[in-house]
Amino acid sequence: MIDHDTRISLHRQIETSIRDSIRIGRLPRGSSMPPSRVLAADLGVSRGVVVEAYQQLTAEGYLASRAGGYTEVAAGPAPATAGLRLARPAPPRIELSSCRADVSSFPRAAWLRAIRGALASAPNDVFGYLAGSGTPQLRAALAGYLNRVRGTLAQPDQIVICTGYAQGIALLVGVLAAAGAKRLALEDPSSGDDALPAARAAGLEVVGVPVDGDGIRVDLLRDTGADAVVLTPSHQWPVGSVLSAANRAAVLRWAAERGAIVIEDDYDAEYRYDRTPVGALQGLAPDRVVYAGSASKSLAPGMRLGWFVLPEHLAEPMAAAKIAADRGSPVLEQLALADLITRGEFDRHLRRMRPVYRRRRDALLTALARQLPQLQPAGISAGLHLVTWLPPHLDEATVVDAAARAGVGVEGVAPYRISRPGPGGLIFGYATASEQAIAEGVDILARVIGEL
């Protein structure tokens, strides 16, 4: 506050106030000061008074003038966020725990052309508020692509575009709960990062159902009394099994008899190496199966684009839930992805990446066979990861921690178990590491396990 009755000059009062604020951290280093004209108007003084105060503090080193005519704080403590960034643990030197796509291979040129095309040719009305289901262009492109490649029976008006799978499953769980669902079944182990907290937040009981080499144990699923189940039938996360033909039929019979919904998380359907791709479960029972996919594994997780193909009675409530959540996903990204799909750029990118990921997978298999033959890999025919089971005398958490200390990041299976214990295992993600790094990482892991 400026005191006009004191003998202390106005510019000295301003200097003292700013200096004290910098010293105690109220004005952190790097923060911008108001323009002198603005601050003068706020304080009810002439601009020259503020300019004189700024000049004095600049001479003392508290402020600094920057190009563009603005002044910033040059002294005092750094912003708290900088300290938080420094406090984060350093990533491992060799990262084999990430089951993500190699974002360094993102098709930037094709995406830039698609974004420019969307800006140049999109009708004006798509930049207003749209329906919660997403742009008609992307829904039509996805319906054609999924029907052709994944064997779905999808209509554009059955598709809802979401901000990734995470948002979509949360919205869907809320829709099911509002319709009277009480219990959700999940594969055990499974990636419960999204469905599990969403179900609990919606008040649903969650039950885990074990999986084996043929996928989920349908005999045990029948005993759960679940109103819906989340499956990864084409490549079970994380153990990699494929839902057998007999179990696919049994799951759909259970859903029809129970009046339940099957949620098919087709998270890595684009990558198949040693076997013919298994068609989507949704194509067998579109009135009972919700098909969920996203751009996270095919392009990049940072795009935050997912799609849900829903039975007719769920499509409208899901779109309404999307509107209530955020008024719809960004339009330009939807139009650009639609363009990539319709022009064939999406298919070309996947054809380019499949041999890259297969070579990295093969490098991992070769290194494991040479250095750690006691670890038998599973789920190797598809996806961006595989799992190996540990001998009983090796503790999973101990191996993971020791590998991390040696600079190699791997994940264990235990964090993905919901309710039932099971054998220890390691999850290897190979998509983001070079073949040389994979070989070196397995060598280090072999030494670690040898010492244990």
Side-chain angles (χ1 to χ4, degrees):
M1 295 294 292
I2 295 295
D3 185 353
H4 291 271
D5 297 326
T6 184
R7 293 183 177 180
I8 302 174
S9 62
L10 297 179
H11 72 86
R12 293 295 183 195
Q13 293 183 53
I14 296 172
E15 291 170 23
T16 300
S17 176
I18 295 174
R19 190 183 295 110
D20 291 344
S21 295
I22 293 173
R23 286 172 174 171
I24 66 175
R26 185 181 296 123
L27 290 174
R29 188 169 67 246
S31 59
S32 297
M33 296 297 296
S36 56
R37 192 180 306 278
V38 173
L39 184 57
D42 289 344
L43 297 178
V45 299
S46 69
R47 180 169 176 261
V49 171
V50 175
V51 169
E52 187 174 358
Y54 277 9
Q55 289 175 342
Q56 180 61 33
L57 292 170
T58 298
E60 295 176 7
Y62 286 97
L63 300 180
S65 297
R66 298 302 181 199
Y70 74 92
T71 302
E72 71 176 22
V73 177
T81 52
L84 291 175
R85 286 196 295 269
L86 293 173
R88 293 175 182 171
R93 187 170 66 85
I94 299 176
E95 179 59 88
L96 297 179
S97 65
S98 173
C99 301
R100 298 174 181 169
D102 182 1
V103 295
S104 68
S105 299
F106 182 81
R108 291 174 182 251
W111 186 255
L112 179 60
R113 182 201 53 74
I115 285 286
R116 285 175 170 168
L119 278 170
S121 62
N124 292 333
D125 57 358
V126 302
F127 294 101
Y129 288 111
L130 297 178
S133 50
T135 63
Q137 294 90 334
L138 180 54
R139 290 186 284 119
L142 282 170
Y145 173 80
L146 295 173
N147 293 343
R148 170 174 58 88
V149 174
R150 296 299 297 128
T152 60
L153 289 173
Q155 296 296 326
D157 59 2
Q158 294 176 266
I159 297 176
V160 174
I161 307 301
C162 299
T163 309
Y165 172 80
Q167 185 196 43
I169 191 65
L171 296 178
L172 179 58
V173 165
V175 167
L176 295 176
K182 303 297 183 185
R183 187 172 298 160
L184 177 69
L186 299 178
E187 297 168 322
D188 194 0
S190 69
S191 177
D193 294 351
D194 302 315
L196 185 60
R200 288 175 173 166
L204 297 184
E205 180 186 354
V206 176
V207 287
V209 182
V211 298
D212 57 22
D214 291 323
I216 195 168
R217 290 278 305 277
V218 187
D219 56 329
L220 300 179
L221 174 63
R222 289 183 176 277
D223 297 334
T224 62
D227 301 296
V229 61
V230 180
L231 299 180
T232 49
S234 297
H235 188 229
Q236 202 278 331
W237 171 266
V239 306
S241 58
V242 176
L243 191 66
S244 67
N247 278 0
R248 287 160 72 91
V251 165
L252 296 180
R253 281 197 303 271
W254 165 82
E257 295 165 2
R258 173 75 184 162
I261 292 295
V262 177
I263 303 166
E264 179 179 16
D265 179 6
D266 206 26
Y267 68 99
D268 64 357
E270 293 83 6
Y271 303 113
R272 295 290 184 273
Y273 310 119
D274 303 325
R275 61 175 298 161
T276 303
V278 179
L281 199 60
Q282 190 267 356
L284 298 173
D287 59 331
R288 282 285 148 209
V289 179
V290 174
Y291 177 93
S294 79
S296 294
K297 296 290 191 295
S298 56
L299 289 170
M303 292 182 65
R304 307 313 307 139
L305 277 175
W307 42 88
F308 280 62
V309 184
L310 300 121
E312 188 175 343
H313 70 283
L314 292 177
E316 187 174 336
M318 182 78 164
K322 172 64 176 173
I323 285 290
D326 59 11
R327 298 293 178 185
S329 295
V331 168
L332 280 178
E333 285 81 353
Q334 294 185 59
L335 295 177
L337 181 56
D339 186 78
L340 250 63
I341 294 172
T342 55
R343 287 177 179 266
E345 296 280 3
F346 188 68
D347 288 279
R348 280 190 284 275
H349 173 70
L350 294 175
R351 286 197 299 271
R352 186 169 60 250
M353 295 310 299
R354 285 187 192 105
V356 172
Y357 292 148
R358 179 169 184 163
R359 286 194 298 270
R360 293 172 183 176
R361 182 211 60 172
D362 291 347
L364 177 58
L365 291 174
T366 299
L368 289 171
R370 183 182 66 248
Q371 298 290 345
L372 291 167
Q374 69 272 36
L375 303 186
Q376 293 299 310
I380 66 174
S381 65
L384 305 178
H385 80 281
L386 58 82
V387 65
T388 64
W389 300 110
L390 292 170
H393 65 278
L394 285 175
D395 177 70
E396 176 187 299
T398 302
V399 173
V400 170
D401 291 344
R405 289 194 297 272
V408 177
V410 292
E411 278 194 296
V413 175
Y416 298 99
R417 297 194 184 277
I418 296 174
S419 57
R420 291 172 172 83
L426 301 178
I427 303 170
F428 292 85
Y430 48 79
T432 60
S434 68
E435 294 161 45
Q436 179 180 353
I438 289 170
E440 183 183 355
V442 173
D443 287 344
I444 294 172
L445 183 62
R447 290 199 298 271
V448 167
I449 289 179
E451 294 170 358
L452 293 177

